[in-house]
Amino acid sequence: MDMKKRLSIFICIFLLLSSEAKSETEEKGYYGELKYLESIRLQELVNVRQRLIELSKFESKFNPKEMDLYNLLLAHSDAMKADYTSAKQRLNNLIENSNSVDVRSRAYSILALIENIQGNDINAFVALDNSLSQISEVEDQIYRLDILQKYNLLS
């Protein structure tokens, strides 16, 4: 078999395999990557934000759990770059629409910190109280710890 034929066969096989291959993110699901981004969000603010922007093109493929976490991470990212209006809109949307107690309580805790930063102490304590009122139902231990840390910070 001559070199041209071999190369043609190799290219055909490569194109066939690559057309069926999914990205690692799509293969594992988006939730795993979002949880990873959540775990590094404070150390890698810029990189996490960039990856969230890249993931935005897959939003239509997210299930509700992934969409909640994605929006929670975007809200956190907005807050860290002092875009409080956008962060509060995202958080309020999660509070009103998420079916997850974990997501709602975490959204309330981030909202409490934003309100505190903006000098809205009453709103901060109301949001923190809403977060604390759900803590017994929160399954994610990291979220529980975060809520309690905000309580210590704001009280």
Side-chain angles (χ1 to χ4, degrees):
M1 189 181 295
D2 71 343
M3 190 62 149
K4 261 188 174 177
K5 241 183 189 175
R6 285 183 186 174
L7 185 58
S8 296
I9 291 171
F10 174 76
I11 290 173
C12 288
I13 291 172
F14 176 77
L15 290 174
L16 179 65
L17 291 175
S18 64
S19 68
E20 293 180 10
K22 293 182 176 180
S23 72
E24 185 178 331
T25 299
E26 290 176 299
E27 196 67 40
K28 292 189 311 185
Y30 298 99
Y31 192 73
E33 181 167 1
L34 291 167
K35 285 303 277 184
Y36 171 72
L37 292 174
E38 183 179 43
S39 73
I40 64 166
R41 72 189 182 285
L42 295 175
Q43 298 88 3
E44 300 283 336
L45 291 172
V46 174
N47 292 334
V48 168
R49 180 66 178 200
Q50 183 58 42
R51 186 61 186 139
L52 290 171
I53 291 168
E54 292 167 6
L55 286 172
S56 70
K57 63 185 164 194
F58 301 107
E59 275 186 69
S60 64
K61 296 180 181 182
F62 291 174
N63 64 40
K65 188 175 181 180
E66 292 163 342
M67 187 58 81
D68 280 353
L69 183 53
Y70 175 74
N71 281 309
L72 195 61
L73 290 170
L74 279 176
H76 182 270
S77 180
D78 289 343
M80 295 305 287
K81 52 179 215 161
D83 184 356
Y84 300 129
T85 302
S86 178
K88 288 166 73 171
Q89 286 173 339
R90 287 183 196 282
L91 294 168
N92 284 318
N93 186 43
L94 285 167
I95 289 164
E96 292 173 19
N97 297 310
S98 177
N99 292 324
S100 168
V101 173
D102 283 29
V103 169
R104 285 192 314 270
S105 63
R106 179 84 169 102
Y108 271 124
S109 73
I110 296 170
L111 184 60
L113 194 56
I114 292 171
E115 294 290 0
N116 181 260
I117 290 169
Q118 291 184 311
N120 303 323
D121 294 334
I122 293 173
N123 291 346
F125 283 110
V126 168
L128 185 60
D129 185 56
N130 285 326
S131 184
L132 285 169
S133 71
Q134 300 176 37
I135 200 163
S136 64
E137 300 172 50
V138 173
E139 294 178 11
D140 189 308
Q141 297 302 314
I142 294 172
Y143 286 7
R144 280 182 170 206
L145 181 60
D146 179 76
I147 292 164
L148 293 172
Q149 286 175 334
K150 284 192 177 59
Y151 173 75
N152 283 332
L153 179 69
L154 299 177
S155 59

